[in-house]
Amino acid sequence: MYTGSCLCGGVSFEIVGELEPIQICHCTQCRKAQGTAIATNIPVQEDRFKLLSGSELLTSYESSPGKQRVFCRICGSPVMSKTAKLPGVVRVRAGTLNGELKTRAQCHFYTRDKANWFEMKDDLPGFEQGYIKS
């Protein structure tokens, strides 16, 4: 089990079971939403994600049709996102998790939108768009 929270600690949650690999996103929306060059997302089945406190502090923004970005209205921490394209899945922001993680980054998405001031210095696969399972 893993636990996590927002910056102010008002929103806390747990994730049951092991974590999927971290997905690094470079899309313009993620960069704007995070205020950084990348977003680090972990897909989690909704039935494995349990909000422990702060449901009244969560608010969301529909950044594109069917895509909700969920954050704490007190401290502004991005907690997760949901998209109609992946029903039953929340994408938890890896930086909100407490402690050490066994999972590691798997790949880069939307590399065509990468900030020109950010260098990818790893050997992870990159995709110009989102990851497509074959």
Side-chain angles (χ1 to χ4, degrees), residues 8-55:
C8 71
V11 175
S12 65
F13 59 88
E14 68 182 19
I15 298 170
V16 177
E18 286 307 315
L19 299 173
E20 295 292 324
I22 298 168
Q23 302 167 346
I24 302 169
C25 187
H26 297 265
C27 81
T28 303
Q29 282 192 1
C30 279
R31 289 189 357 229
K32 297 261 183 202
Q34 308 303 303
T36 65
I38 60 172
T40 52
N41 304 307
I42 301 174
V44 176
Q45 294 296 315
E46 282 185 310
D47 63 354
R48 295 182 41 229
F49 179 89
K50 181 180 178 186
L51 194 59
L52 301 175
S53 67
S55 63

Side-chain angles (χ1 to χ4, degrees), residues 48-64:
R48 295 182 41 229
F49 179 89
K50 181 180 178 186
L51 194 59
L52 301 175
S53 67
S55 63
E56 72 283 1
L57 301 179
L58 290 176
T59 192
S60 66
Y61 171 70
E62 187 172 24
S63 57
S64 57

Side-chain angles (χ1 to χ4, degrees), residues 114-125:
K114 183 184 81 55
N116 69 340
W117 46 265
F118 180 80
E119 292 184 45
M120 297 186 312
K121 293 187 175 185
D122 58 46
D123 294 328
L124 296 174

